[in-house]
Amino acid sequence: MSFSPLIRQLIDALRILPGVGQKTAQRMALQMLERDRSGALRLAHALNEAMERVGHCKRCRTLCEEELCPQCADPNRDDSLLCVVQAPMDVFAVDQTGFRGRYFVLKGHLSPLDGLGPEAIGVPELLARIAEGAFSEVILATNPTVEGEATAHYIAQLLIPKGLSVSRIAHGVPLGGELDLVDGGTLAHAFNGRKAITL
Amino acid sequence: MSFSPLIRQLIDALRILPGVGQKTAQRMALQMLERDRSGALRLAHALNEAMERVGHCKRCRTLCEEELCPQCADPNRDDSLLCVVQAPMDVFAVDQTGFRGRYFVLKGHLSPLDGLGPEAIGVPELLARIAEGAFSEVILATNPTVEGEATAHYIAQLLIPKGLSVSRIAHGVPLGGELDLVDGGTLAHAFNGRKAITL
Ligand SMILES: [Zn+2]
Ligand SMILES: [Zn+2]
């Protein structure tokens, strides 16, 4: 009622951002219009470029616009360690702990009730990636939730018979949380305390 | 380091949003890329349209893309009441209380130390607006801060000699706050308890 159509349209559009409700969207819209129009135009440009050009890394399947992401393209990483996570944000979180091996990003976790089996989350691609690599250890860093645990257990069952050393990050990470919300120190601790998985 | 250049660019651009730090910007960027690219493209479009086409209402100076904003264009409002606020967001906040008169939006408050005198905040335009209208009461709803009070007092000194009834919203609003953060009930109360200003 009080806002003109283009301002209303902007407020509505801002609400797609996680954690942004009506009041916050209003403040964002008016503040940009009053104080930082060039910043807002840069944001529009960055959104367009990212949404149109960012795809997935051919090797690890994280989000990136090149064929290979910065982690896969980096020649100075440990090719004997593979860390499996369930979302691109987790690559960033694990990298912050100082891990310098390689990554593979699943598309979420197994969820049979939603019809999400191994193919849906990229397990065949993970197996292919492992087959073409020379990994001595695979670290399963899916979320410390019931679903993340089940996904890690499922993958461990496939990898252990291949003679790979398979580990799970230690339960220093709080149960029920999302990996990328864990502080770096806790996550580093969980990494160091990782344990071999036995079937 | 972990994000590709276009994703980094998007994260940096998101940080212009008020209240959005590095971690929040990362989550926003990746969540849009993973789950809502069409929503993100709509946001880019809404940003471009708003930044390029939204200007100021000719009559009340709030933000809008038409010559007149919805409040000024509405024929069913009380033309005898003028509410003076110091930012476009405050028009929305006051309208939420049920006020149905007209508005005038100053460009902030008087700030002599920053070189912001009456001309800088639009006082001449306010006087012109009052001269062309037929207001019986002018309600000064600048922020309940020291600067907002001083600005209201300065304007009252100009208007009272013209024979206008000038009022200030009551101090139901907490001192030191910003008007648009006040809950609607408190603001409605402050409106009803407004008092005539005497010099
Ligand atoms: Zn990669
Ligand atoms: Zn207007």
Side-chain angles (χ1 to χ4, degrees):
Chain A
M1 49 184 197
S2 308
F3 298 114
S4 66
L6 287 184
I7 300 178
R8 270 208 309 278
Q9 172 180 281
L10 177 56
I11 292 168
D12 290 345
L14 283 164
R15 296 204 49 191
I16 67 146
L17 296 171
V20 174
Q22 180 67 20
K23 188 103 188 179
T24 304
Q26 289 171 10
R27 286 181 75 83
M28 285 176 166
L30 296 189
Q31 188 160 321
M32 281 189 282
L33 282 165
E34 288 188 274
R35 295 186 213 161
D36 197 2
R37 295 200 184 205
S38 65
L41 290 172
R42 272 201 311 281
L43 174 55
H45 176 74
L47 283 164
N48 277 324
E49 282 216 313
M51 298 308 139
E52 277 157 17
R53 292 175 48 199
V54 170
H56 293 90
C57 173
K58 269 204 170 159
R59 194 166 289 163
C60 77
R61 313 227 309 166
T62 197
L63 290 163
C64 80
E65 67 272 16
E66 309 285 351
E67 196 157 327
L68 294 182
C69 73
Q71 288 74 42
C72 288
D74 183 349
N76 297 317
R77 284 183 164 252
D78 185 344
D79 282 314
S80 71
L81 289 176
L82 182 69
C83 176
V84 178
V85 294
Q86 63 177 62
M89 192 72 185
D90 301 332
V91 172
F92 179 78
V94 172
D95 232 49
Q96 290 280 79
T97 72
F99 176 78
R100 288 297 177 268
R102 304 294 180 179
Y103 292 95
F104 188 88
V105 182
L106 297 169
K107 223 172 148 56
H109 54 70
L110 291 173
S111 184
L113 292 179
D114 303 312
L116 298 177
E119 286 76 21
I121 68 167
V123 171
E125 290 84 352
L126 169 61
L127 297 178
R129 172 71 183 105
I130 288 169
E132 82 185 17
F135 300 108
S136 61
E137 180 180 353
V138 176
I139 304 167
L140 301 174
T142 49
N143 278 347
T145 56
V146 172
E147 297 86 357
E149 296 293 340
T151 303
H153 187 76
Y154 175 84
I155 293 170
Q157 283 185 308
L158 297 176
L159 298 185
I160 291 170
K162 295 183 195 291
L164 279 157
S165 169
V166 180
S167 59
R168 175 88 177 110
I169 51 172
H171 275 147
V173 286
L175 268 166
E178 282 180 83
L179 201 65
D180 71 88
L181 290 178
V182 174
D183 70 283
T186 304
L187 194 54
H189 190 82
F191 242 74
N192 292 332
R194 68 185 183 267
K195 297 198 178 133
I197 296 187
T198 50
L199 295 180
Chain B
M1 50 180 192
S2 307
F3 299 115
S4 65
L6 286 183
I7 300 178
R8 269 208 311 277
Q9 172 181 280
L10 177 56
I11 292 167
D12 290 344
L14 283 164
R15 296 205 50 193
I16 69 144
L17 296 171
V20 174
Q22 180 67 20
K23 188 103 189 180
T24 305
Q26 288 170 10
R27 286 181 77 83
M28 285 176 167
L30 296 188
Q31 189 160 321
M32 281 190 282
L33 282 164
E34 287 188 275
R35 293 185 214 164
D36 196 3
R37 295 200 184 204
S38 64
L41 291 172
R42 270 200 314 280
L43 174 55
H45 176 73
L47 282 165
N48 277 323
E49 283 217 311
M51 299 307 139
E52 276 157 18
R53 291 175 47 200
V54 170
H56 293 89
C57 173
K58 270 206 170 157
R59 195 165 289 165
C60 76
R61 316 226 308 167
T62 197
L63 291 162
C64 81
E65 66 273 16
E66 308 286 352
E67 196 158 327
L68 293 183
C69 73
Q71 288 74 40
C72 288
D74 185 348
N76 298 317
R77 285 184 165 251
D78 186 343
D79 281 315
S80 70
L81 290 177
L82 182 68
C83 177
V84 178
V85 296
Q86 64 177 62
M89 192 73 183
D90 301 332
V91 172
F92 179 78
V94 172
D95 232 48
Q96 290 280 79
T97 71
F99 176 78
R100 287 297 177 271
R102 304 295 178 178
Y103 292 96
F104 187 88
V105 182
L106 296 169
K107 227 173 145 58
H109 54 69
L110 292 173
S111 185
L113 292 178
D114 302 314
L116 297 177
E119 286 74 24
I121 69 167
V123 173
E125 291 84 352
L126 170 60
L127 297 179
R129 172 72 181 104
I130 289 170
E132 82 184 18
F135 300 109
S136 60
E137 181 181 352
V138 177
I139 303 167
L140 301 175
T142 49
N143 278 347
T145 57
V146 173
E147 297 85 358
E149 295 293 341
T151 303
H153 187 74
Y154 175 84
I155 293 170
Q157 282 184 309
L158 296 176
L159 299 184
I160 290 171
K162 294 181 196 291
L164 281 156
S165 171
V166 181
S167 59
R168 176 87 177 111
I169 50 172
H171 274 145
V173 286
L175 270 167
E178 281 179 82
L179 201 65
D180 70 88
L181 291 177
V182 174
D183 69 282
T186 304
L187 194 52
H189 191 80
F191 242 74
N192 292 331
R194 68 185 183 267
K195 297 201 177 129
I197 296 188
T198 48
L199 294 181

